Amino acid sequence: MTAISSRPGIGAMFRTQGAQKLLAFAGLVVLLVGFSLASDRFFQTSNVIAILQAASVNGVLAIAATLIIITGGIDLSVGTLMTFCAVICGVVLTYLGLPMPIGLAAAILAGTASGLASGIFVAKLKVPPFIATLGMMLILKGLSLVISGTRPIYFNDTPGFTQIATGSIIGNFFPAVPLPNGVVILFVVAGLAAFVLGRTVLGRYAFALGSNEEALRLSGVNVDRWKIAIYALGGSIVGVAGILIASRLNSAQPALGLGYELDAIAAVVIGGTSLRGGQGTILGTVIGALIMAVLANGLRILSVAQEWQTVVTGSIIILAVYADMLRRQRAAAAA
Amino acid sequence: MSAAPSAASVTPLVSMKAIDKSFPGVHALKSVSFEVLPGEVHALMGENGAGKSTLMKILSGVYSRDSGTVEFNGKPVEIGSPREAQNMGIGIIHQELSLMPDLNAAQNIFIGREPRTAGGLLIDEKKLNAGATELFKRIGLNIDPRTPVSRLTIAKQQMVEIAKALSNESRVLIMDEPTAALNDAEIAELFTIIRQLKAEGVGIVYISHKMDELERIADRVTVMRDGAYVDTLPAATTPVQTIIEMMVGREIAHAAPDIPDLSAAEVVLEVRNLNRGREIQNVSFSVKKGEILGFAGLMGAGRTEVARAVFGADPFTSGEIFVHGKKVDIRQPRDAVQAGIGYLSEDRKQFGLATGMDVANNVAMASLERFIGTGGVIDDGKIAGTAREYIDQLSIKTPTEHQEARLLSGGNQQKVVVAKWLLRDCEVLFFDEPTRGIDIGAKNEIYKLLNQLAAQGRAIIVISSELPEILRLSHRIAVMCEGRLTGFLPGGNTPQEEIMKLATQRHDDTAPAGNAREEEKMGETA
């Protein structure tokens, strides 16, 4: 067995776990080829763009979830936090009538603050991540409803707000590739997150936390502070997702959000990130989100009922993790 | 306190005085004093549980002391965290390897002190890897710094730990059993590094159980016993026997077991050519009725892996298991239990006991079907009665059979697990580190219990990393190294060195031992 070396530099964002990513990537290719053969409506530009657009919100949420899961934690609050950020954005823009950049900043700040709170609960108060973020999930769901008065907030007074996700700057320059901004934002967030994981101290400690927290503590690292920082970063990324979904819907829907966290975790898991922590990649997560979007879209095109789509997605999750288990066992036996 | 003559003239790097520390239920350190001079190797000796590790954890900021003073370079200091200790120049190589398996070697070495670029924002991987390469060169370790730690052998991981401590510019270096997993060549290398550090004026605290190392490397020896300071002596002129007696607190009568004549005894368990990857390589052995077979070896030698595989807790890729000469197909613990094999794990709390349940239910856990009364309801009265029988028989110290298992002492928890398997009529019992975390008095009781079980005709397999324990208990000794069974030795008066030789016999060192043939030979003589 040859040693796998993690390449330094930008390549580090694609580090380790080549095999599982390959597996996920192969799965994506199989789905793409399969659906293309099954229906000629599938592989058309408009449909591919629809798939990417559909993957963008879940993808960004899943990236946030990946950061937390790598530390050995879990974040159940990403779904309702996304809604909360959208509502904050709506309050600032529609109710207060402030300029757009302030609304966007407010959404991201709200996400950061919530992540910070989750991080403090987990790191300082030692509440298990599952419980801390379960609590945050409910708190944020309630707050969204309270702040919005349980009514959707529309962004009709903020010209250009819907363009954030649905416009296409790239399309302006290259009309042949009308890639929506939302998709571009997904890729930018993915690039930044991979960079943070691969190149920065914060990323290094995220892996170290998930790998052996006690060892990191004994190395003289202030583990609490870094753990809080990771949750806060995750929160700010969820803020971006909040802006994306608000822009796509041209509204902040306070009742929305519950269930998104499970889709996000599903994407992370399909992408090969271990729920035990210490391992994981952003690229895998993005592929995971794409697999879920392709499945939903492809099954819809094949007129499979919505109910069955969830059954298939669930099966894929179990299959993906089982395949990963087999791979690990084989690797352990060969080692 | 009798210190070396030089102690008076030189300011100690570290001086700990009257250190006291208690944990719930344990007075771990009783007014212990200890000092380290610049450029000395100060060995800290004592049996497991004597308080060495606790004392060093206080010095390295992991634990806080209850009372007493710590001086560094003549000034009183408070060491509140591992980081403060590090900044002060106190480095520690922990006994349990504290590396992050998912990170590579270089990343592990510089964790917490990564070289940065771009105004401190990014990690300078080039500098990181170069720094690690340089450290590896210094200690003669030939690996790619980008190798994930999970892919390194235990010995290599240990060397990475040493490199990590060296990289800290430590003025005091605490080594907690640094040679436990190293072979002779690696130990020699380590000693070269230690001498080099000594010459640089670094003070080294050296914790080890290997007596022969004292003469080779230590300047002074401090002995601890049961959490208390015993004495500090010059290493060169103190006989090993004296140190051992100070450690145990009595003259040791040679405690070899009475080895019964088992030539006519029936073989109860036989394992042939067991394999699983690198962890278990072609392991064959057998145990007779009434025999205690000791498994010796270093950490990671594969002893626990073999036991767990035979018990069905982990899979194996090939091999055969026979009970009473009949081949049995063991795929899961249930199969092993039905074949009469019990396994008492190393980590009782995690694997062997339901700590939140009471003694009675723990005893009954593997045999619940016997206690199903009328209408499928569990007969708690019968369980309690049976539990009481075993509490008497094994003299388990517990107020009642309804005491929660977690409230019992380590030795009594061990007995509860034994009771569980006895109730199940197990003829073969694996004991994996049966006395780990148990105080000395309780240890003797466990030894008595094991002898008693063997005398009753059960076949006992004991895995222990403590050679004195192996020698004291075993009728016959199997030694493993890196997944292979490197040989069998007779119990009793076998010198520890012979066991260590087999325990460090790497595959490329010498010709393979020929397990199967060796086994037959030993079987005849035993």
Side-chain angles (χ1 to χ4, degrees):
Chain A
M1 171 165 295
T2 55
I4 296 174
S5 62
S6 50
R7 284 159 291 163
I10 300 294
M13 69 175 67
F14 303 127
R15 65 200 276 276
T16 67
Q17 287 205 293
Q20 170 63 12
K21 265 195 330 251
L22 214 67
L23 223 63
F25 186 71
L28 181 60
V29 171
V30 167
L31 284 177
L32 289 176
V33 171
F35 283 129
S36 301
L37 293 177
S39 165
D40 49 9
R41 280 185 299 151
F42 181 76
F43 214 80
Q44 287 172 0
T45 313
S46 61
N47 193 48
V48 169
I49 283 176
I51 290 172
L52 288 170
Q53 180 76 288
S56 61
V57 169
N58 185 32
V60 172
L61 279 183
I63 288 167
T66 306
L67 296 179
I68 313 292
I69 288 171
I70 284 175
T71 68
I74 190 98
D75 193 344
L76 297 178
S77 69
V78 294
T80 57
L81 176 57
M82 173 185 77
T83 302
F84 180 74
C85 295
V87 167
I88 292 291
C89 191
V91 167
V92 170
L93 294 182
T94 304
Y95 288 180
L96 303 179
L98 293 170
M100 191 154 79
I102 297 182
L104 304 187
I108 291 176
L109 266 178
T112 313
S114 165
L116 207 63
S118 294
I120 289 170
F121 296 153
V122 171
K124 291 289 181 197
L125 308 186
K126 312 288 177 209
V127 180
F130 188 95
I131 305 297
T133 59
L134 178 71
M136 284 303 286
M137 172 176 108
L138 296 172
I139 290 171
L140 291 163
K141 179 181 160 69
L143 284 181
S144 299
L145 291 166
V146 170
I147 292 173
S148 62
T150 71
R151 285 185 306 274
I153 307 173
Y154 292 93
F155 291 92
N156 295 331
D157 303 335
T158 310
F161 187 78
T162 53
Q163 292 296 308
I164 294 172
T166 54
S168 177
I169 293 176
I170 290 184
N172 288 345
F173 295 103
F174 308 100
V177 207
L179 207 59
N181 296 335
V183 178
V184 176
I185 289 173
L186 166 66
F187 290 137
V188 170
V189 169
L192 287 175
F195 183 76
V196 167
L197 278 181
R199 290 289 310 271
T200 67
V201 178
L202 180 62
R204 178 66 39 84
Y205 292 164
F207 283 106
L209 273 168
S211 191
N212 187 345
E213 182 173 336
E214 181 63 8
L216 187 64
R217 194 175 75 83
L218 293 178
S219 300
V221 173
N222 186 339
V223 289
D224 290 356
R225 205 173 65 196
W226 291 104
K227 206 188 266 181
I228 293 169
I230 275 284
Y231 277 88
L233 176 63
S236 62
I237 292 174
V238 175
V240 174
I243 294 168
L244 276 181
I245 194 149
S247 169
R248 270 183 65 192
L249 303 174
N250 190 30
S251 62
Q253 300 284 345
L256 202 79
L258 215 56
Y260 277 69
E261 65 284 336
L262 298 182
D263 280 349
I265 293 168
V268 175
V269 168
I270 292 173
T273 293
S274 161
L275 281 183
R276 271 165 307 188
Q279 296 179 337
T281 59
I282 296 298
L283 183 60
T285 294
V286 171
I287 291 174
L290 287 175
I291 286 180
M292 290 181 65
V294 165
L295 260 182
N297 177 285
L299 293 174
R300 201 178 318 125
I301 282 183
L302 299 182
S303 305
V304 176
Q306 173 86 44
E307 303 84 281
W308 282 106
Q309 291 176 27
T310 29
V311 173
V312 173
T313 310
S315 313
I316 294 280
I317 292 172
I318 292 168
L319 201 70
V321 175
Y322 176 63
D324 192 35
M325 286 283 298
L326 282 186
R327 180 185 66 80
R328 270 172 220 274
Q329 275 168 13
R330 212 162 296 158
Chain B
M1 164 164 158
S2 67
S6 60
S9 51
V10 187
T11 311
L13 275 172
V14 166
S15 174
M16 305 176 83
K17 291 203 178 93
I19 303 293
D20 231 83
K21 175 74 182 174
S22 291
F23 297 106
V26 192
H27 196 172
L29 293 177
K30 300 161 194 158
S31 191
V32 175
S33 296
F34 183 70
E35 61 167 29
V36 188
L37 301 176
E40 84 161 334
V41 175
H42 196 151
L44 187 54
M45 307 293 294
E47 291 197 305
N48 281 351
K52 301 164 301 194
S53 294
T54 309
L55 186 68
M56 289 304 110
K57 280 184 173 164
I58 287 175
L59 183 55
S60 58
V62 178
Y63 293 156
S64 59
R65 61 184 187 274
D66 294 344
S67 64
T69 58
V70 179
E71 288 179 12
F72 190 76
N73 253 341
K75 288 185 212 97
V77 286
E78 291 298 325
I79 305 170
S81 69
R83 160 151 281 181
E84 281 177 44
Q86 239 178 50
N87 291 344
M88 222 174 269
I90 299 172
I92 182 163
I93 298 167
H94 290 278
Q95 189 177 353
E96 313 88 25
L97 293 176
S98 52
L99 296 173
M100 283 142 276
D102 298 309
L103 268 51
N104 71 34
Q107 289 169 347
N108 263 289
I109 288 173
F110 291 103
I111 196 83
R113 300 167 293 116
E114 291 80 0
R116 316 269 182 96
T117 61
L121 198 66
L122 304 185
I123 295 170
D124 189 341
E125 296 281 349
K126 259 193 206 131
K127 221 165 152 186
L128 187 89
N129 291 326
T133 307
E134 197 175 302
L135 283 165
F136 290 163
K137 220 177 267 165
R138 197 168 149 198
I139 62 170
L141 179 60
N142 187 23
I143 59 166
D144 185 337
R146 291 170 301 181
T147 315
V149 162
S150 56
R151 285 171 192 272
L152 297 174
T153 62
I154 299 281
K156 293 257 165 67
Q157 291 185 18
Q158 181 93 46
M159 300 303 261
V160 171
E161 283 255 32
I162 291 166
K164 179 177 169 183
L166 286 182
S167 73
N168 260 328
E169 307 289 330
S170 300
R171 301 191 53 203
V172 174
L173 193 55
I174 304 161
M175 297 181 156
D176 197 348
E177 300 209 39
T179 58
L182 305 187
N183 66 26
D184 288 345
E186 289 160 339
I187 290 174
E189 272 170 36
L190 174 69
F191 284 179
T192 309
I193 298 160
I194 290 180
R195 291 194 187 99
Q196 189 182 321
L197 292 170
K198 250 180 80 152
E200 293 167 16
V202 176
I204 290 159
V205 182
Y206 194 89
I207 300 177
S208 175
H209 281 126
K210 299 186 191 164
M211 290 295 167
D212 60 312
E213 290 176 355
L214 291 186
E215 298 164 15
R216 289 172 64 189
I217 199 72
D219 298 309
R220 287 196 291 167
V221 182
T222 289
V223 178
M224 290 179 67
R225 183 174 69 234
D226 296 337
Y229 171 87
V230 180
D231 205 354
T232 302
L233 299 162
T237 53
T238 311
V240 166
Q241 191 60 26
T242 313
I243 295 173
I244 294 176
E245 282 164 14
M246 282 163 61
M247 280 166 56
V248 248
R250 60 188 174 271
E251 288 188 32
I252 332 175
H254 195 70
D258 295 327
I259 298 175
D261 178 15
L262 295 168
S263 49
E266 183 198 0
V267 170
V268 184
L269 171 74
E270 185 178 1
V271 174
R272 276 190 211 157
N273 303 321
L274 197 68
N275 275 294
R276 186 181 71 226
R278 256 193 226 169
E279 293 174 306
I280 305 173
Q281 296 175 37
N282 222 25
V283 169
S284 303
F285 64 92
S286 65
V287 210
K288 290 180 167 178
K289 211 168 144 78
E291 183 180 36
I292 300 182
L293 174 66
F295 262 80
L298 302 177
M299 261 188 309
R303 296 164 298 160
T304 296
E305 286 76 4
V306 167
R308 287 179 57 93
V310 172
F311 185 61
D314 292 324
F316 51 92
T317 43
S318 69
E320 293 173 309
I321 299 169
F322 299 85
V323 175
H324 288 300
K326 239 175 73 189
K327 192 176 165 187
V328 285
D329 186 16
I330 294 177
R331 291 166 187 276
Q332 45 181 332
R334 190 189 158 75
D335 303 331
V337 170
Q338 272 170 353
I341 301 172
Y343 172 66
L344 289 87
S345 61
E346 197 171 354
D347 188 343
R348 286 180 290 283
K349 290 203 171 135
Q350 205 177 341
F351 303 115
L353 267 187
T355 46
M357 289 172 79
D358 65 11
V359 172
N361 274 295
N362 270 291
V363 171
M365 189 175 301
S367 326
L368 259 193
E369 67 274 15
R370 290 194 209 175
F371 298 101
I372 297 172
T374 44
V377 178
I378 289 175
D379 185 345
D380 278 315
K382 199 169 155 199
I383 288 181
T386 309
R388 275 195 299 273
E389 279 171 33
Y390 281 100
I391 288 171
D392 287 345
Q393 189 189 329
L394 304 178
S395 28
I396 301 172
K397 282 190 204 109
T398 174
T400 75
E401 68 277 12
H402 295 303
Q403 180 84 331
E404 275 182 48
R406 70 186 165 88
L407 299 173
L408 268 53
S409 72
N412 285 299
Q413 288 183 346
Q414 183 70 283
K415 288 182 181 176
V416 173
V417 187
V418 171
K420 173 169 92 177
W421 293 123
L422 293 185
L423 177 58
R424 191 63 229 209
D425 293 328
C426 284
E427 287 177 280
V428 182
L429 286 172
F430 281 89
F431 287 85
D432 197 347
E433 302 286 358
T435 62
R436 176 167 291 180
I438 288 176
D439 59 63
I440 295 169
K443 267 186 189 180
N444 285 327
E445 276 206 56
I446 295 286
Y447 296 156
K448 234 193 296 175
L449 175 66
L450 294 188
N451 283 322
Q452 184 192 329
L453 293 173
Q456 288 168 1
R458 294 196 167 81
I460 307 290
I461 294 156
V462 179
I463 298 171
S464 173
S465 298
E466 290 174 48
L467 285 186
E469 183 163 293
I470 287 281
L471 287 169
R472 175 164 182 175
L473 283 170
S474 311
H475 301 158
R476 197 157 56 96
I477 302 166
V479 190
M480 286 190 71
C481 176
E482 294 190 339
R484 291 168 307 113
L485 221 161
T486 45
F488 290 87
L489 295 166
N493 293 316
T494 304
Q496 301 201 3
E497 295 73 47
E498 270 190 51
I499 301 178
M500 283 313 295
K501 220 164 89 192
L502 287 174
T504 52
Q505 183 179 308
R506 301 295 202 262
H507 195 45
D508 40 22
D509 283 359
T510 46
N515 295 334
R517 249 180 313 144
E518 197 89 8
E519 162 77 6
E520 276 169 25
K521 239 181 355 207
M522 291 309 306
E524 282 159 23
T525 52

